[in-house]
Amino acid sequence: MSFQNPVFIPGPTNIPERLRKACDMPTIDHRSPLFGQILHPAREGVRKVLKSNSAQVFIFPSTGTGGWEAALTNCLSAGDKVLAARNGMFSHRWIDMCQRHGLKVEIIETPWGHGVPADRYEEILAADENHEIKVVLATHNETATGVKSDIAAVRRALDAAGHPAMLFVDGVSSIASMDFRFDEWGVDVAVAGSQKGFMLAPGLAITAFSDKAMMATEAATLPRTFFDVKDMAKGYANNAYPYTPAVGLLNGLNEACGMLLDEGLENVFARHHRIAEGIRAAVGAWGLELCAVSPEVYSDTVSAIRTPEGFNATDIVSHAASAYGVAFGTGLGEVAGKVFRIGHLGSLTDVMALSGIATAEMVMADLGLDITLGSGVAAAQDCYRGNRLNADKAAA
Amino acid sequence: MSFQNPVFIPGPTNIPERLRKACDMPTIDHRSPLFGQILHPAREGVRKVLKSNSAQVFIFPSTGTGGWEAALTNCLSAGDKVLAARNGMFSHRWIDMCQRHGLKVEIIETPWGHGVPADRYEEILAADENHEIKVVLATHNETATGVKSDIAAVRRALDAAGHPAMLFVDGVSSIASMDFRFDEWGVDVAVAGSQKGFMLAPGLAITAFSDKAMMATEAATLPRTFFDVKDMAKGYANNAYPYTPAVGLLNGLNEACGMLLDEGLENVFARHHRIAEGIRAAVGAWGLELCAVSPEVYSDTVSAIRTPEGFNATDIVSHAASAYGVAFGTGLGEVAGKVFRIGHLGSLTDVMALSGIATAEMVMADLGLDITLGSGVAAAQDCYRGNRLNADKAAA
Amino acid sequence: MSFQNPVFIPGPTNIPERLRKACDMPTIDHRSPLFGQILHPAREGVRKVLKSNSAQVFIFPSTGTGGWEAALTNCLSAGDKVLAARNGMFSHRWIDMCQRHGLKVEIIETPWGHGVPADRYEEILAADENHEIKVVLATHNETATGVKSDIAAVRRALDAAGHPAMLFVDGVSSIASMDFRFDEWGVDVAVAGSQKGFMLAPGLAITAFSDKAMMATEAATLPRTFFDVKDMAKGYANNAYPYTPAVGLLNGLNEACGMLLDEGLENVFARHHRIAEGIRAAVGAWGLELCAVSPEVYSDTVSAIRTPEGFNATDIVSHAASAYGVAFGTGLGEVAGKVFRIGHLGSLTDVMALSGIATAEMVMADLGLDITLGSGVAAAQDCYRGNRLNADKAAA
Amino acid sequence: MSFQNPVFIPGPTNIPERLRKACDMPTIDHRSPLFGQILHPAREGVRKVLKSNSAQVFIFPSTGTGGWEAALTNCLSAGDKVLAARNGMFSHRWIDMCQRHGLKVEIIETPWGHGVPADRYEEILAADENHEIKVVLATHNETATGVKSDIAAVRRALDAAGHPAMLFVDGVSSIASMDFRFDEWGVDVAVAGSQKGFMLAPGLAITAFSDKAMMATEAATLPRTFFDVKDMAKGYANNAYPYTPAVGLLNGLNEACGMLLDEGLENVFARHHRIAEGIRAAVGAWGLELCAVSPEVYSDTVSAIRTPEGFNATDIVSHAASAYGVAFGTGLGEVAGKVFRIGHLGSLTDVMALSGIATAEMVMADLGLDITLGSGVAAAQDCYRGNRLNADKAAA
């Protein structure tokens, strides 16, 4: 078990020293005022990271999947109609969850590697004259394919169609790493997790609800208790939870927001972009291609890299682990075996990224792919050299 | 914020050094074989703690409340009938959850301070000739009142009535601290949390399902995704989760089970009993009474102590926190203001318990109660002196 | 191994959470400017704790014993004469060190339990007309006997005799717990360690040199390299050490000084005094006596408690460890077997102190001493009750 | 402050997770039997790492410099004669220490970059017919120049000359990383530190004395107290120290020896060699040269790399720190400004080494050196690819 090497899975990410210490906390009384001094700043920090002035932030001891469930069960009733694009494993799973909870989903099948098709959303919304569609789902960053979607465009589609549906966005692998504008994009529920851009261990579903979404909770009849945001809101008003909160992780979340805001959100996003550009330059130098079909959908948090026909991309992941003690991500669902993934989000430096690139080169060479050793590293070094001042700040 | 003093809330408990270190873990790839080396021993350890040979253990990144929800949603359908006694805040909440999920609950109202009335269960079950009752709920240890119930008697009631209902037991504040016999008592679903007898931070709902409960999942139609045990079982078969697991806490759980089994379950239970006896001796020496009405329902994990008429018991908790940096528990629900609670579970030594008793004495004296300083301590010392060898082992 | 109970040895002390985290630091480049940001504030913090405006602080990766050696070897030459009182094991050892390094020591034999006799110092200094005595040694707090000495009186003795000798003070078990006035008392070298009032793990000798002591280093010919303060001073001027510094401990020292100064030195001293008063009240309630002969020499950091004739006091220490997992101190040297010691310094709360007192009672009762259980606790509770506000701040 | 990147200074090294946790220990009673369970296995572990059956291991809360002083002061008297080669900054400093302690040193001036000249030792020893030379000093690995010396050859020189002088070896930057044979080479005192091959924080001088050296302590009159090995031996016999030991670091040392022996000493040495070969291949690819003049003196723990005439090598170190958050070592003494150093010892993986190489490339390119990006990485990858199985074990 090599704890010395960084991990390059698309979350959970490498945890900074400062956050490990913030989470590793002795027990405090979670019904004492002290807890409020952790809870409220953490919620406020998340709000700032989401660029929202008014969102209500609810944090569950759960995961992003739990966040999806909180979004659906608090705002919808069985039989309600939902519009969603399926362009990867995570959008697929959210759709599946809708169906399991008795929602009707109008699915826009979208090729993996593409972003969510805002034009198709607009067509369908415009055609929905009775406004049967209650919610539009959009996956901001498809972790399975390394594809970023244009949420502003989805908002424009809703507006163009003059449709009152709510907009729920899965930002699990984008929020805190890539620009996310809750207010500006008119998001109604955003879902994130502790273990990606927030650089913490898994264990928190981080959600934000707009006023409109909060109002929808009044009529929504899907059963819910653990994920009930009204119980949560009532608890928060008393510095408490409706059950036992994950105090250490919340303390870490508060600290994580502090780190992100200290670095500056735009600097955080720029760092993620620079590191991602280096990874993509390496992929080009290797003569390989991304699963993401074009630059405007390239993700700054994860790259899914296609391997040549006939080669099992999953071998890269297992060989990297066994031979070099380095973790990459496998392909999932319909790109299983066809891509391997390099996660490049959270607390990462250019220097760490280079070690991942160098490892991938050795692995691919070991497995017989025609890769020039050092070629990807050199390409990435070119990207990183000009940006050295930020490199420093980023990993503090 | 006094981290030097122990906490005496009825969970989360004081976390042993060894477990804090086990949980404070760098990121590993939760889809690698390494994760299986944490997951499976942790589940096996929980099974042993439950004294079960065959239960299937499912661990969610959640809390005991989530465990309740997993029990209900996996095994029941809307409209199903449930039998439950309400004898404290936590049984009340589980009943409330049933109702919110569309279940019909036959409630046996039971005075707070009493255990669940097995005789009333038997009457009702015997009268339910059509076997409409699908599940019987029982709270093994009511954290709000410090009352332990006789689960074996509930099982006997089911058997005497020849009733096929499943038995769901909330063991959140009993399991791993007090004797729990999953197989012998014919429990179908048991619910625990990481932050009580397992001595960890909050963040895990620990559940165990009997074969009968697993079979019930096939027909159950309450909507569920995050808490779906079949998804979970499928994941486990591949050393994985259906979503991102809380790896550090699972590693801690594995270690916690190791600690409990190394100490010996019967020794753990005996230690909890001895420490609790000391607390109760102190209560007697103070001239006060427990909320729990009789010795057979005295809890070995938490004592709810009645204060004199006209005195606000909650003042004890706030004064202890502000003046001495010590956390006790307040009364909840219908005993709010009437009791304060001393939690005495998890990683506790006689020596730590004495500091809690000594603090309670000072607090009560400060607030004008007629307490002889040192009296409770002396009574507890008498209990603890004969048992010194275990004291040592217990807190390793 | 019970890590849950506090320790009651007279150092190393219980380490606060905040300091454990400050010390547990990844490797940094100790030749980089970053190191200076740790070193200089740590030295400045120590200076403030010593109440000095001008002392030069040198910190060695060593212990208090190394600090003694630094004091002697930097300022003296073989054959130089030193005046010292021997009133306990630690003053004895410093005298022994002088002799081993070729110094001539005029020893004032002083009964153990008494402070250093300032009047005898004055007589001898007055008689030393040729000023052959180069240094006067004084142990501020004899850890072996729990005796505090009056350093201001020693200074007055020097002044009254008009003698130019330097004054070296062993403050290992007093500094940062009891009032120490480097400038006001005209101390020339003060010696402390990381593991007492500074609440850290052992590993640092903390020394402070007056200008006069620094001047004496020019002529001093005792061999020294590791402990050479001129090498150290040269290093410090470049943010560096002459060898590899203990970076983590220095970071902890910096943080420890922050904690002490945040609490306020006078508050720290008052807390130590209050806790010590409680311990002493307990000793009285038990019908026992301190080794320290009178209140003006009672130490606020450690109490050596005489046990009845014919009883082996060391049994208390071994029984406390084996039966209750609690560490007290044994008697050393000529009071071995006659006293046991309760350390009450560093990061301690009233509540923790009560658990030590309660444990000592059980131990003594177990061993057949005529002790009323709870009696010492009640006496200490009386002391602690009035001071509750500080209790809180103290252990943060 | 980038804690995410590895450090590449020649000690202190990157500290493995397991050792950080072993060192970060609550206070225990260092006079209790428990301490013996840490101390004795730690000493035994060091003995095994030194490949000795009989050496007595003494561990001081100090540094390698303190270890040098312990070697000299315990075995020698003022005026004694010592033979030593000066071939770098650390041999220079040990010689300087001898002189400051009144020893006469016959110095063999040796060009920096060369190993200690065993033939010259032999000539001088053979000429010393009266056996005035009491001790021969040899620096096994010159950290300043990256030069390894042949200690077996020095032993052969002593034997060939039939000279009874003791052999003292500075193994601070070799022991636990490169082969060291205390018994086979007839070493009399070996000196190591915690912060190099043992992968811990600084704070321990680790020394080993042969029977002959122990006998020499009887006659040796150099003053010593803190570093006295006879006091230490007497303490060890009672599971104790003559003063307060650095318990946490000793616990870490015990664990570190466990890690080294679990990996297998020969595997540890092979890993260091492989990683060093990769670094050297990179240096070759860059068209640069080592300070070490020939392969037989190449160090496997640190490489000092000469930069072109007219270029200030120290700029590399400062630029790497400020622009990329990576620490390399500067040149010291007569090679200051002429070399920069890459430390490659302790807990390091091939993957980490590659990130250091990649960083050095960017830095040198930024500073205008004619370096082909990726060239050194490719050369090192070639070295590392064949050895993947060990890579994994090494960094566990």
Side-chain angles (χ1 to χ4, degrees):
Chain A
M1 176 160 22
S2 170
F3 284 148
Q4 297 294 90
N5 294 335
V7 294
F8 296 97
I9 49 176
T13 65
N14 303 286
I15 311 175
E17 185 66 23
R18 184 171 157 191
L19 296 187
R20 285 192 51 198
K21 282 178 172 156
C23 294
D24 172 32
M25 203 180 157
T27 300
I28 63 160
D29 181 2
H30 59 286
R31 296 180 197 271
S32 72
L34 182 56
F35 176 64
Q37 296 167 28
I38 295 170
L39 172 64
H40 298 305
R43 292 177 68 219
E44 179 64 17
V46 169
R47 228 175 31 72
K48 285 185 186 153
V49 169
L50 294 172
K51 298 189 174 171
S52 174
N53 287 316
S54 59
Q56 291 206 38
V57 173
F58 301 107
I59 306 164
F60 301 89
S62 184
T63 69
T65 300
W68 291 346
E69 194 161 320
L72 302 181
T73 58
N74 279 285
C75 300
L76 292 168
S77 303
D80 277 353
K81 199 165 172 188
V82 167
L83 173 65
R86 176 152 56 196
N87 67 332
M89 183 49 95
F90 292 90
S91 43
H92 166 71
R93 286 192 188 150
W94 203 6
I95 289 168
D96 176 58
M97 178 187 275
C98 289
Q99 293 167 331
R100 289 163 73 163
H101 285 257
L103 303 173
K104 290 185 209 138
V105 193
E106 172 140 9
I107 303 173
I108 310 172
E109 297 293 351
T110 307
W112 290 34
H114 289 253
V116 304
D119 50 351
R120 292 285 295 124
Y121 276 77
E122 185 175 339
E123 282 170 37
I124 294 166
L125 290 164
D128 178 38
E129 295 182 354
N130 297 334
H131 296 167
E132 289 181 9
I133 295 170
K134 299 299 175 212
V135 164
V136 168
L137 303 187
T139 299
H140 188 203
N141 190 70
E142 243 304 343
T143 319
T145 56
V147 161
K148 172 182 66 179
S149 286
D150 185 348
I151 303 302
V154 176
R155 163 49 57 201
R156 286 194 300 271
L158 278 154
D159 292 349
H163 198 288
M166 291 181 284
L167 173 58
F168 288 8
V169 181
D170 171 353
V172 171
S173 62
S174 64
I175 288 169
S177 300
M178 287 158 49
D179 197 12
F180 191 96
R181 309 185 178 192
F182 189 92
D183 286 1
E184 186 180 325
W185 297 343
V187 176
D188 291 298
V189 181
V191 177
S194 47
Q195 81 280 12
K196 309 268 180 173
F198 290 105
M199 307 172 284
L200 298 164
L204 297 181
I206 301 167
T207 67
F209 282 64
S210 71
D211 289 345
K212 188 169 164 187
M214 286 308 292
M215 257 179 317
T217 66
E218 299 299 330
T221 62
L222 273 180
R224 58 187 180 272
T225 307
F226 184 78
F227 290 117
D228 192 294
V229 297
K230 282 198 288 188
D231 289 358
M232 199 58 99
K234 211 184 305 172
Y236 290 174
N238 296 311
N239 296 326
Y241 259 58
Y243 37 72
T244 313
V247 182
L249 271 174
L250 284 167
N251 195 43
L253 180 61
N254 187 16
E255 192 81 15
C257 291
M259 285 178 72
L260 292 165
L261 296 167
D262 285 354
E263 184 178 349
L265 287 180
E266 305 313 315
N267 292 331
V268 170
F269 304 150
R271 170 169 54 84
H272 278 83
H273 183 67
R274 182 185 69 246
I275 290 179
E277 286 284 293
I279 302 282
R280 292 190 282 259
V283 171
W286 297 333
L288 297 177
E289 290 193 349
L290 293 176
C291 179
V293 292
S294 57
E296 73 274 15
V297 298
Y298 288 168
S299 165
D300 283 344
T301 59
V302 54
S303 295
I305 300 159
R306 294 193 176 275
T307 49
E309 201 67 21
F311 181 87
N312 181 0
T314 302
D315 289 350
I316 290 175
V317 177
S318 20
H319 185 67
S322 66
Y324 300 104
V326 168
F328 294 114
T330 56
L332 301 176
E334 66 176 58
V335 292
K338 297 182 184 163
V339 308
F340 76 101
R341 292 179 298 155
I342 300 182
H344 36 79
L345 75 169
S347 179
L348 208 68
T349 63
D350 302 26
V351 170
M352 292 158 82
L354 289 170
S355 71
I357 295 169
T359 303
E361 289 180 354
M362 292 194 290
V363 168
M364 291 188 288
D366 287 350
L367 296 174
L369 291 182
D370 181 24
I371 295 289
T372 305
L373 291 176
S375 61
V377 169
Q381 283 170 318
D382 258 339
C383 291
Y384 298 154
R385 278 185 53 211
N387 296 281
R388 54 196 87 116
L389 291 176
N390 291 329
D392 209 25
K393 276 188 244 160
Chain B
M1 179 159 20
S2 170
F3 285 147
Q4 298 294 90
N5 294 335
V7 294
F8 296 98
I9 49 176
T13 66
N14 302 286
I15 311 175
E17 184 68 22
R18 184 171 155 192
L19 296 188
R20 286 192 50 199
K21 282 177 173 157
C23 294
D24 172 32
M25 204 180 155
T27 300
I28 63 160
D29 181 3
H30 58 286
R31 297 180 197 269
S32 72
L34 183 54
F35 176 64
Q37 296 166 29
I38 295 171
L39 171 65
H40 298 306
R43 293 176 68 219
E44 179 64 17
V46 170
R47 229 175 30 72
K48 286 184 185 155
V49 169
L50 294 172
K51 298 189 175 171
S52 175
N53 287 315
S54 58
Q56 292 206 38
V57 173
F58 301 107
I59 306 164
F60 301 90
S62 183
T63 70
T65 299
W68 292 344
E69 194 160 320
L72 302 180
T73 56
N74 280 285
C75 301
L76 292 168
S77 305
D80 278 351
K81 199 165 171 188
V82 167
L83 173 65
R86 174 152 57 195
N87 67 333
M89 185 48 97
F90 292 90
S91 42
H92 166 71
R93 286 193 188 150
W94 204 6
I95 288 168
D96 176 58
M97 178 187 276
C98 289
Q99 294 168 331
R100 290 163 74 163
H101 285 257
L103 303 172
K104 290 184 207 137
V105 193
E106 173 140 8
I107 303 173
I108 309 173
E109 296 293 351
T110 307
W112 290 34
H114 291 254
V116 304
D119 50 351
R120 293 283 297 123
Y121 276 78
E122 185 176 339
E123 282 169 38
I124 294 166
L125 290 164
D128 178 36
E129 296 182 352
N130 297 334
H131 295 166
E132 288 182 9
I133 295 170
K134 299 300 175 212
V135 163
V136 169
L137 303 187
T139 300
H140 188 203
N141 190 71
E142 240 305 341
T143 319
T145 57
V147 161
K148 170 183 66 180
S149 286
D150 185 348
I151 304 302
V154 177
R155 163 49 56 200
R156 285 193 300 272
L158 278 155
D159 292 349
H163 198 289
M166 291 181 284
L167 173 57
F168 288 7
V169 181
D170 171 353
V172 170
S173 63
S174 63
I175 287 170
S177 300
M178 287 158 51
D179 197 13
F180 191 96
R181 308 184 179 192
F182 189 92
D183 287 1
E184 187 181 322
W185 297 342
V187 176
D188 290 300
V189 180
V191 177
S194 48
Q195 81 280 14
K196 308 268 180 170
F198 291 105
M199 307 172 285
L200 297 164
L204 297 182
I206 300 167
T207 67
F209 281 63
S210 70
D211 289 345
K212 189 170 162 185
M214 288 307 292
M215 258 179 318
T217 65
E218 299 300 330
T221 61
L222 274 180
R224 59 188 179 271
T225 307
F226 184 77
F227 290 118
D228 192 294
V229 296
K230 283 197 286 186
D231 288 359
M232 200 58 100
K234 210 185 306 172
Y236 289 175
N238 296 312
N239 297 325
Y241 259 58
Y243 36 73
T244 312
V247 181
L249 271 174
L250 285 168
N251 196 43
L253 180 60
N254 187 17
E255 192 81 14
C257 291
M259 285 179 72
L260 293 164
L261 297 168
D262 285 354
E263 185 179 349
L265 287 181
E266 305 313 315
N267 293 332
V268 171
F269 303 151
R271 170 169 56 83
H272 277 82
H273 183 67
R274 183 185 69 247
I275 290 178
E277 284 285 293
I279 303 282
R280 292 190 282 258
V283 171
W286 297 333
L288 297 177
E289 292 193 348
L290 293 176
C291 179
V293 292
S294 58
E296 73 274 14
V297 299
Y298 288 169
S299 164
D300 283 344
T301 59
V302 54
S303 295
I305 300 159
R306 292 195 178 275
T307 50
E309 201 67 21
F311 181 88
N312 182 1
T314 302
D315 289 349
I316 291 176
V317 178
S318 20
H319 185 67
S322 66
Y324 300 104
V326 168
F328 294 115
T330 55
L332 301 176
E334 67 176 57
V335 293
K338 298 182 184 164
V339 308
F340 76 100
R341 293 179 296 154
I342 302 182
H344 35 80
L345 74 169
S347 179
L348 208 68
T349 64
D350 303 26
V351 171
M352 292 157 83
L354 288 169
S355 71
I357 295 168
T359 304
E361 288 180 353
M362 293 194 291
V363 168
M364 290 187 289
D366 287 351
L367 296 174
L369 291 182
D370 180 24
I371 295 290
T372 306
L373 291 176
S375 60
V377 168
Q381 284 171 316
D382 258 338
C383 291
Y384 298 155
R385 277 185 53 210
N387 296 281
R388 51 197 89 116
L389 292 177
N390 292 329
D392 208 25
K393 278 189 240 157
Chain C
M1 179 160 18
S2 171
F3 285 147
Q4 297 293 90
N5 294 334
V7 294
F8 295 97
I9 50 176
T13 66
N14 302 287
I15 311 174
E17 185 67 22
R18 185 171 155 191
L19 296 188
R20 286 193 48 199
K21 283 178 172 155
C23 294
D24 172 32
M25 203 181 156
T27 301
I28 62 160
D29 181 2
H30 59 286
R31 297 179 197 271
S32 72
L34 182 56
F35 176 64
Q37 296 167 29
I38 295 171
L39 172 65
H40 298 305
R43 295 176 67 219
E44 179 64 16
V46 169
R47 228 174 32 71
K48 285 185 185 154
V49 169
L50 294 172
K51 298 187 175 172
S52 175
N53 287 316
S54 59
Q56 291 206 38
V57 173
F58 301 107
I59 305 164
F60 301 90
S62 184
T63 70
T65 300
W68 291 345
E69 194 160 319
L72 302 181
T73 58
N74 279 286
C75 300
L76 292 168
S77 304
D80 277 353
K81 198 164 171 189
V82 166
L83 173 64
R86 175 153 56 195
N87 67 333
M89 184 47 97
F90 292 90
S91 42
H92 166 72
R93 286 193 187 149
W94 203 5
I95 289 168
D96 176 60
M97 179 187 276
C98 289
Q99 293 167 331
R100 289 162 75 161
H101 285 258
L103 303 172
K104 292 187 209 138
V105 193
E106 172 138 8
I107 303 174
I108 310 173
E109 296 293 352
T110 307
W112 290 34
H114 289 254
V116 304
D119 51 351
R120 292 283 297 125
Y121 276 77
E122 184 175 343
E123 283 170 36
I124 293 166
L125 289 164
D128 177 36
E129 295 182 353
N130 296 336
H131 295 168
E132 289 182 7
I133 294 170
K134 298 298 177 216
V135 163
V136 169
L137 303 186
T139 300
H140 188 203
N141 190 70
E142 242 304 343
T143 319
T145 57
V147 161
K148 170 183 66 181
S149 285
D150 185 348
I151 303 302
V154 177
R155 164 50 56 201
R156 286 194 299 271
L158 278 154
D159 292 350
H163 199 289
M166 290 181 284
L167 173 58
F168 288 7
V169 181
D170 171 354
V172 171
S173 61
S174 63
I175 287 169
S177 301
M178 287 157 51
D179 196 12
F180 192 96
R181 307 183 179 192
F182 190 91
D183 286 1
E184 187 180 323
W185 296 344
V187 176
D188 291 299
V189 181
V191 177
S194 47
Q195 80 280 14
K196 309 267 180 173
F198 290 106
M199 307 172 285
L200 298 164
L204 297 182
I206 301 166
T207 68
F209 282 63
S210 71
D211 289 346
K212 189 169 161 185
M214 287 309 292
M215 257 177 320
T217 65
E218 299 299 330
T221 61
L222 273 180
R224 58 187 180 273
T225 307
F226 183 78
F227 290 117
D228 193 293
V229 297
K230 283 198 287 188
D231 289 0
M232 201 57 101
K234 209 185 307 173
Y236 289 174
N238 295 311
N239 295 326
Y241 259 58
Y243 36 73
T244 312
V247 181
L249 271 173
L250 284 167
N251 195 44
L253 180 61
N254 187 18
E255 191 81 13
C257 291
M259 284 177 73
L260 292 164
L261 296 167
D262 285 353
E263 184 179 351
L265 287 181
E266 304 314 315
N267 293 332
V268 170
F269 304 151
R271 170 169 54 84
H272 277 83
H273 183 68
R274 182 185 70 247
I275 290 178
E277 285 285 291
I279 303 281
R280 291 190 283 259
V283 171
W286 297 333
L288 297 177
E289 291 194 348
L290 293 176
C291 179
V293 293
S294 58
E296 73 273 15
V297 299
Y298 288 169
S299 164
D300 283 343
T301 59
V302 55
S303 295
I305 301 158
R306 292 196 178 273
T307 50
E309 201 67 23
F311 181 89
N312 181 1
T314 302
D315 290 349
I316 291 175
V317 178
S318 17
H319 184 67
S322 66
Y324 301 104
V326 168
F328 294 114
T330 57
L332 301 176
E334 67 175 58
V335 292
K338 298 181 184 164
V339 308
F340 77 100
R341 292 179 297 156
I342 300 182
H344 36 79
L345 74 168
S347 179
L348 207 67
T349 63
D350 303 26
V351 171
M352 292 158 82
L354 289 170
S355 71
I357 294 169
T359 303
E361 289 180 353
M362 293 194 290
V363 168
M364 291 188 288
D366 287 350
L367 296 174
L369 290 181
D370 181 24
I371 295 290
T372 304
L373 291 176
S375 61
V377 169
Q381 283 170 317
D382 257 340
C383 291
Y384 298 154
R385 277 186 53 211
N387 297 281
R388 55 198 86 116
L389 291 177
N390 291 330
D392 208 25
K393 277 189 242 157
Chain D
M1 178 161 19
S2 171
F3 286 148
Q4 298 293 90
N5 294 335
V7 294
F8 296 97
I9 50 176
T13 65
N14 303 287
I15 310 175
E17 185 67 23
R18 185 172 156 190
L19 297 187
R20 286 194 48 199
K21 283 178 173 156
C23 294
D24 172 32
M25 203 179 155
T27 300
I28 62 160
D29 181 3
H30 59 287
R31 296 179 198 272
S32 72
L34 182 56
F35 176 63
Q37 296 166 29
I38 296 170
L39 172 64
H40 299 305
R43 293 177 67 220
E44 179 63 17
V46 169
R47 228 175 31 71
K48 285 185 185 153
V49 169
L50 294 172
K51 298 188 177 174
S52 174
N53 287 316
S54 58
Q56 292 206 37
V57 172
F58 301 106
I59 305 164
F60 301 89
S62 183
T63 70
T65 300
W68 291 344
E69 195 161 320
L72 302 180
T73 58
N74 280 284
C75 300
L76 292 168
S77 304
D80 278 352
K81 198 164 171 188
V82 166
L83 174 64
R86 175 153 57 196
N87 67 332
M89 184 48 95
F90 292 89
S91 43
H92 166 71
R93 285 192 187 151
W94 203 5
I95 288 167
D96 175 59
M97 178 188 276
C98 290
Q99 292 167 332
R100 289 162 74 162
H101 285 257
L103 304 171
K104 290 187 210 137
V105 193
E106 171 139 9
I107 304 173
I108 309 172
E109 296 293 352
T110 308
W112 290 34
H114 290 252
V116 304
D119 51 350
R120 292 284 296 125
Y121 276 77
E122 185 175 340
E123 283 170 34
I124 293 166
L125 290 164
D128 178 36
E129 295 182 354
N130 296 335
H131 295 166
E132 289 183 9
I133 295 171
K134 298 300 177 212
V135 163
V136 169
L137 303 186
T139 299
H140 188 203
N141 190 70
E142 243 304 342
T143 319
T145 56
V147 161
K148 171 182 65 180
S149 286
D150 186 348
I151 303 303
V154 177
R155 164 48 56 200
R156 285 193 300 272
L158 278 154
D159 292 348
H163 198 289
M166 290 182 285
L167 173 58
F168 288 7
V169 181
D170 171 354
V172 170
S173 61
S174 63
I175 288 170
S177 301
M178 286 157 51
D179 196 12
F180 192 96
R181 308 183 179 193
F182 189 92
D183 286 0
E184 186 180 322
W185 296 344
V187 176
D188 290 298
V189 181
V191 177
S194 47
Q195 81 280 14
K196 307 267 180 172
F198 290 106
M199 306 172 284
L200 298 163
L204 297 182
I206 300 167
T207 67
F209 282 63
S210 71
D211 289 345
K212 189 168 163 186
M214 287 309 292
M215 257 178 319
T217 66
E218 298 300 329
T221 61
L222 274 179
R224 59 188 177 271
T225 308
F226 184 78
F227 290 117
D228 192 293
V229 297
K230 283 198 286 187
D231 289 359
M232 200 56 101
K234 210 184 307 172
Y236 289 174
N238 295 312
N239 296 326
Y241 259 58
Y243 37 72
T244 312
V247 181
L249 270 174
L250 285 167
N251 195 44
L253 180 60
N254 187 16
E255 192 81 14
C257 291
M259 285 178 72
L260 292 165
L261 297 168
D262 285 353
E263 184 178 349
L265 288 180
E266 305 313 315
N267 292 332
V268 171
F269 303 151
R271 170 170 56 84
H272 278 83
H273 183 67
R274 181 185 71 246
I275 290 178
E277 286 285 292
I279 303 282
R280 291 189 283 259
V283 172
W286 297 333
L288 298 177
E289 291 193 349
L290 293 176
C291 179
V293 293
S294 57
E296 72 274 14
V297 299
Y298 288 169
S299 165
D300 283 343
T301 59
V302 54
S303 295
I305 300 159
R306 293 194 178 275
T307 50
E309 201 68 20
F311 181 87
N312 182 1
T314 301
D315 290 350
I316 291 176
V317 177
S318 20
H319 184 68
S322 67
Y324 301 104
V326 168
F328 294 114
T330 56
L332 302 176
E334 67 176 56
V335 293
K338 297 181 184 163
V339 308
F340 76 101
R341 293 179 296 155
I342 301 181
H344 36 79
L345 74 168
S347 179
L348 208 68
T349 63
D350 303 25
V351 170
M352 292 158 83
L354 289 170
S355 70
I357 294 169
T359 304
E361 288 179 354
M362 293 193 291
V363 168
M364 291 188 288
D366 287 351
L367 296 174
L369 290 182
D370 180 24
I371 295 290
T372 305
L373 291 176
S375 61
V377 169
Q381 283 170 316
D382 257 339
C383 291
Y384 297 155
R385 277 186 53 210
N387 296 281
R388 54 196 88 116
L389 292 176
N390 291 330
D392 207 24
K393 278 189 243 158

